[in-house]
Amino acid sequence: MTFSLTRSVEHAAYVAAGEDELGNEIASYALPVTVRVFGWEPPRSDEPALAGHDRVVVDLKLYAPQSMGAKPADYVMVGGKRFEVIGWPEDPNDNGIWSPGLVSVNLRRIEG
């Protein structure tokens, strides 16, 4: 079975750009590239029930081809919003029964 890749996102790979004076890695990103994907689940948001707390964490699962090559700390633009890749993609393609050619990429955005 082949899945149609009908949606587009922008993917920017994380690239370490050296170290600062304290030895911490300096974050940088490659230029974003357009990637065709199968789609994504509706975003889920969570915020603590605390008075005065205005931070919202938005999680989204993206279904992309293995060739996207997403890795932790990359970012993906979905619907005009920037999400960070959380962890390594979930890859069901090595199970010996079915190989969909897609991976599940976990994304997170923090607002506020």
Side-chain angles (χ1 to χ4, degrees):
M1 173 183 255
T2 303
F3 291 94
S4 297
L5 304 178
T6 59
R7 309 290 300 269
S8 293
V9 298
E10 296 289 317
H11 172 232
Y14 175 84
V15 181
E19 294 182 349
D20 65 14
E21 63 277 357
L22 299 175
N24 299 313
E25 195 171 80
I26 298 171
S28 183
Y29 294 91
L31 292 175
V33 295
T34 300
V35 178
R36 301 289 289 177
V37 299
F38 177 71
W40 50 86
E41 291 182 0
R44 296 179 318 270
S45 63
D46 183 38
E47 63 178 300
L50 299 172
H53 192 280
D54 62 356
R55 185 180 74 184
V56 178
V57 177
V58 181
D59 291 314
L60 183 130
K61 188 169 287 222
L62 176 72
Y63 299 106
Q66 286 177 301
S67 61
M68 179 177 175
K71 60 188 186 312
D74 289 357
Y75 78 79
V76 180
M77 297 293 292
V78 179
K81 299 196 186 276
R82 181 177 166 156
F83 289 84
E84 184 177 341
V85 175
I86 303 299
W88 292 97
E90 299 166 10
D91 188 348
N93 293 287
D94 295 326
N95 65 31
I97 298 171
W98 183 56
S99 181
L102 297 175
V103 295
S104 300
V105 182
N106 294 303
L107 303 175
R108 177 168 287 157
R109 173 180 175 77
I110 298 176
E111 300 174 352

